[in-house]
């Protein structure tokens, strides 16, 4: 009934070509939607809310301890029984990638290798923290540390990276920051001492004034006594 007046005539054919459907979606848009849905279902296009963040670049003096900060955000609730954290290391120069640390319900330090008894867990899974500490760093630790977190079903996410540079002494900027911190602490102590001395001096002055007022009263005689 809808097309009875359109089919069979040239004019009707032109009107039918301009007929609008109740769903204003082109064929290209529909094809793109189906393609994205297929990629997401196959795993080629991961739909995930897992995000890992690190400190980026860290500089440490040879022989000192360094914190490798790694935090994460997940669209799924934190499940300690299934959540895993993997730390790996890749040197700047030639060399193979090796495991640094693994966490699944409890910490698993490396049983051997260059990070044996050097990598320590310092994170809090429920606090979304996967930080580790590397003790007494060496020049052979110059490289990129990768932090990978998986919280099933949220397993597709970026791996956070920390580029560690081990130096002989602290850099000039770090020395300036250290000197500024020490100088600021000294200034605060001086100000604190000045405030204490000022308070004591005010109290002593007030006591002297009160004593000076009481002295004439004691020396005042009774007018009835000759």
């Amino acid at each position: 009934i809808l097309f009875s007046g359109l089919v069979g005539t040239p004019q009707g054919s032109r009107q039918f070509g301009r007929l609008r459907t109740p769903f204003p979606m082109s064929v290209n848009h529909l094809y793109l939607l189906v393609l994205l849905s297929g990629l997401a279902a196959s795993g080629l296009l991961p739909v995930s809310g897992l995000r890992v963040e690190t400190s980026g670049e860290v500089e440490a003096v040879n022989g000192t301890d360094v914190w490798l900060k790694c935090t994460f955000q997940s669209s799924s609730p934190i499940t300690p029984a299934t959540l895993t954290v993997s730390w790996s290391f890749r040197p700047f120069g030639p060399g193979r990638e090796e495991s640094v640390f693994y966490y699944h319900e409890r910490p698993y330090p490396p049983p051997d290798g260059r990070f044996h008894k050097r990598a320590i867990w310092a994170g809090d899974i429920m606090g979304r923290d996967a930080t580790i500490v590397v003790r007494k760093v060496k020049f052979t630790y110059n490289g990129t540390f990768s932090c990978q977190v998986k919280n099933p079903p949220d397993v597709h996410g970026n791996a956070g990276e920390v580029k560690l540079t081990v130096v002989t002494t602290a850099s000039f900027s770090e020395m300036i920051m250290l000197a500024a911190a020490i100088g600021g602490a000294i200034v605060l102590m001086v100000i604190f001492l000045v405030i204490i001395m000022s308070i004591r001096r005010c109290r002593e002055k007030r006591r002297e004034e009160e004593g000076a007022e009481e002295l004439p009263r004691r020396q005042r005689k009774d007018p009835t006594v000759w």
Side-chain angles (χ1 to χ4, degrees), residues 14 20 30 32 54 58 106 115 127 136 145 169-170 176 206 221:
R14 288 194 298 270
R20 297 179 180 272
L30 181 61
L32 180 61
T54 59
V58 177
R106 69 181 183 88
F115 298 103
K136 299 179 180 179
F145 291 81
T169 58
I176 292 178
R206 184 178 299 176
K221 296 182 179 180

Side-chain angles (χ1 to χ4, degrees), residues 76-204:
S76 301
I78 303 300
T79 308
T82 57
L83 187 143
T84 60
V85 177
S86 302
W87 278 91
S88 60
F89 171 77
R90 184 177 66 256
F92 289 145
R96 62 181 180 84
E97 184 174 355
E98 60 182 285
S99 176
V100 177
F101 205 93
Y102 183 76
Y103 183 97
H104 181 208
E105 294 191 278
R106 69 181 183 88
Y108 289 91
D112 51 22
R114 76 178 77 190
F115 298 103
H116 178 56
K117 296 184 178 180
R118 295 298 182 97
I120 301 175
W121 177 254
D124 178 13
I125 291 302
M126 300 308 298
R128 294 170 172 79
D129 189 353
T131 300
I132 63 172
V133 177
V134 180
R135 300 181 61 251
K136 299 179 180 179
V137 295
K138 304 177 182 179
F139 293 110
T140 55
Y141 293 176
N142 282 301
T144 302
F145 291 81
S146 298
C147 176
Q148 180 73 51
V149 181
K150 293 184 178 181
N151 182 39
D154 197 0
V155 297
H156 298 287
N158 65 301
E161 293 186 348
V162 181
K163 294 183 178 180
L164 175 63
T165 303
V166 182
V167 296
T168 305
T169 58
S171 63
F172 183 70
S173 59
E174 290 183 347
M175 294 178 64
I176 292 178
M177 293 178 61
L178 181 61
I182 295 175
I186 294 175
V187 170
L188 290 176
M189 290 180 62
V190 171
I191 294 175
F192 183 70
L193 291 175
V194 169
I195 293 175
I196 292 178
M197 295 299 295
S198 299
I199 294 174
R200 288 183 178 179
R201 190 169 182 179
C202 291
R203 289 179 178 177
E204 292 177 356

